[in-house]
């Protein structure tokens, strides 16, 4: 048993990790004396300045508690009328992993599109819009994509730019769920702004929790004019922290000296190590391209419960025996190699 867990290392989610030491140190450093509440503190001002440094002078960043909250706050700002709607992949977290928050809290219809690798293309958007023309259906005002996608794949800057162009041509905004934004930039080998600000994204989440933070995410509007009224909307959405300095300090730590990239680079490398270590096994196949810190694998059905008795991981698609293995900033080569060795034993390879 390790740290109270029956598993030697979790491969279920990068949410299972602890906090990066530098982030924990930043929380401790902020825990000195009193400071104004609700973000009127020097740590939050530092975070807001860092957002402009990383994403561009026109960017406005707002710290929130969690990823679902970041999605709801960001998407709420894209809605204008009670009959608005959002176009997204059918695998999108807002459609499958947030308990209907978009429908319940925003009162918005989601037009979901089936995508082979979790990525929308411009024709997906135009097909939805064409099908709605002249109908009594709600009208989309935003396109929402995930970077990294829920299938572990990444949009290139050109792919994002093409989506932004088609969205803007039809008067829609482009929202990016960036729960694993750092992992995408690490895989693509580019700055965060290459596939956000410079590609025409309107609002993006910067995910901190999966990248080594305790409970810290950010909603970033890439044009300050889009953020009008956001402080009140964040409070109304129950995403305003009274002791904001402790969230802001974490985000600033991740954005300083590219700590976010170091964490993501390492997590991605561990997934690549895992995929390479099992790719030759009979009865096992890699289901989606490994472009981040996720490995989706198809296993013999009988092997899954045996491995789950040894390691924590999720079954992604029971009907096709697809599992998802996640790595994180604190996954070590030894963790991965031990897992590979046990997979080989279970598969008798």
């Amino acid at each position: 048993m390790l740290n109270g867990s029956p598993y030697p290392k979790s491969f279920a989610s990068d949410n299972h990790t602890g906090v990066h030491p530098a982030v924990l140190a930043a929380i401790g450093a902020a825990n000195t004396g009193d400071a104004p509440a609700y973000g009127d503190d020097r740590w939050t001002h530092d975070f807001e300045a860092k957002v402009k440094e990383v994403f561009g002078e026109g960017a406005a960043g707002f710290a929130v508690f969690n990823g679902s909250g970041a999605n709801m706050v960001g998407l709420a700002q894209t809605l204008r009328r009670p009959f608005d709607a959002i176009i997204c992949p059918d695998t999108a977290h807002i459609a499958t992993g947030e308990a209907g928050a978009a429908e319940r809290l925003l009162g918005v219809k989601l037009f979901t599109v089936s995508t082979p690798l979790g990525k929308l293309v411009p024709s997906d958007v135009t097909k939805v819009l064409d099908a709605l023309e002249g109908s009594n259906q709600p009208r989309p005002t935003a396109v929402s994509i995930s970077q990294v996608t829920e299938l572990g794949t990444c949009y290139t800057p050109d792919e994002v730019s093409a989506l932004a162009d088609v969205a803007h041509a039809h008067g829609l905004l482009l929202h990016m769920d960036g729960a694993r934004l750092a992992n995408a930039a690490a895989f693509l080998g580019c700055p965060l702004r290459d596939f956000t600000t410079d590609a025409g994204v309107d609002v993006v989440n910067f995910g901190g929790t999966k990248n080594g933070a305790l409970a810290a995410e950010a909603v970033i509007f890439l044009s300050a004019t889009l953020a009008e009224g956001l402080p009140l909307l964040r409070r109304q959405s129950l995403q305003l922290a009274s002791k904001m300095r402790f969230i802001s300090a974490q985000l600033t730590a991740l954005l300083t000296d590219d700590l976010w990239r170091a964490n993501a680079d390492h997590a991605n490398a561990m997934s690549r190590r895992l995929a390479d270590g099992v790719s030759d096994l009979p009865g096992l196949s890699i289901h989606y391209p490994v472009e981040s810190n996720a490995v989706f694998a198809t296993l013999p059905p009988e092997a899954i419960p045996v491995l789950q008795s040894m390691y924590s991981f999720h079954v992604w698609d029971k009907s096709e025996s697809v599992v998802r293995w996640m790595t994180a900033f604190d996954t070590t080569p030894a963790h991965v190699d031990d897992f590979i060795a046990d997979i080989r034993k279970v598969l008798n390879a």
Side-chain angles (χ1 to χ4, degrees), residues 282-300:
L284 183 153
S285 60
I286 303 301
H287 201 70
Y288 299 116
V290 180
E291 297 180 354
S292 58
N293 61 323
V295 177
F296 292 83
T298 302
L299 295 174

Side-chain angles (χ1 to χ4, degrees), residues 167-200:
H168 296 158
H170 290 87
L172 281 61
L173 298 178
L174 182 59
H175 166 265
M176 180 177 281
D177 177 347
R180 296 185 175 94
L181 201 73
N183 299 92
F187 171 74
L188 295 167
C190 66
L192 289 167
R193 65 174 294 157
D194 276 19
F195 55 82
T196 56
T197 314
D198 297 344

Side-chain angles (χ1 to χ4, degrees), residues 18-31 212-214 246 249-250 253-254 259:
V19 182
H20 189 280
V23 175
L24 204 57
I27 296 172
N31 191 33
L214 172 61
F246 297 108
Q250 296 178 64
L254 289 174
L259 176 60

